[in-house]
Amino acid sequence: QVQLVESGGGSVQAGGSLRLSCATSQYTPKLRRIDTNPVGWFRQVPGRDREGVAVFYRRTKRTYYADSVKGRFTISEDNAENTIDLQMNSLKPEDTAMYYCAAGPSAPTWDNVNYYDTWGQGTQITVSS
């Protein structure tokens, strides 16, 4: 059963914008009870570890960002659509990666992948120079 559904990937030139959306209505935690319920965006390029991009804690409404995207990316919650969205502006070629949405019951360290028990299928972002 697919619990997280991503949309919005694609290709863009440097300086452009894209918006990713993660539908979370079917998410249920696998082992632990939902606490702060983080929903994060991660990205990965071949040969490198998956890295955290941004997170939205649904209970507290707090957000955190990787230093590399601060001021350019914005993560937000759309209550009407039950999605967590990532608005990406001023995109750079180094933002090129497969982007994944992830959810978990809690995450004391927001960018530690081990706290997230459910992952989307991934969506490719390609930024050309």
Side-chain angles (χ1 to χ4, degrees), residues 90-128:
S90 302
L91 283 160
K92 303 176 181 180
E94 50 264 43
D95 294 318
T96 295
M98 183 71 79
Y99 282 70
Y100 297 89
C101 176
S106 63
T109 305
W110 75 269
D111 57 349
N112 185 331
V113 298
N114 295 312
Y115 287 118
Y116 295 84
D117 60 7
T118 303
W119 293 79
Q121 76 281 6
T123 184
Q124 179 67 38
I125 299 294
T126 302
V127 184
S128 58

Side-chain angles (χ1 to χ4, degrees), residues 30-103:
K30 290 182 171 55
L31 294 177
R32 294 177 288 131
R33 183 175 55 88
I34 283 185
D35 185 7
T36 54
N37 191 199
V39 180
W41 285 96
F42 292 76
R43 65 187 181 187
Q44 189 171 24
V45 297
R48 297 183 63 178
D49 291 339
R50 195 167 294 189
E51 65 171 356
V53 176
V55 68
F56 187 99
Y57 285 87
R58 302 196 82 159
R59 195 186 82 179
T60 63
K61 312 302 180 187
R62 288 190 172 184
T63 60
Y64 296 92
Y65 296 90
D67 287 343
S68 59
V69 306
K70 282 180 182 176
R72 299 189 297 122
F73 291 11
T74 302
I75 191 168
S76 61
E77 181 178 45
D78 185 328
N79 287 317
E81 298 293 330
N82 203 357
T83 60
I84 299 297
D85 301 333
L86 185 68
Q87 177 66 39
M88 303 182 292
N89 299 328
S90 302
L91 283 160
K92 303 176 181 180
E94 50 264 43
D95 294 318
T96 295
M98 183 71 79
Y99 282 70
Y100 297 89
C101 176

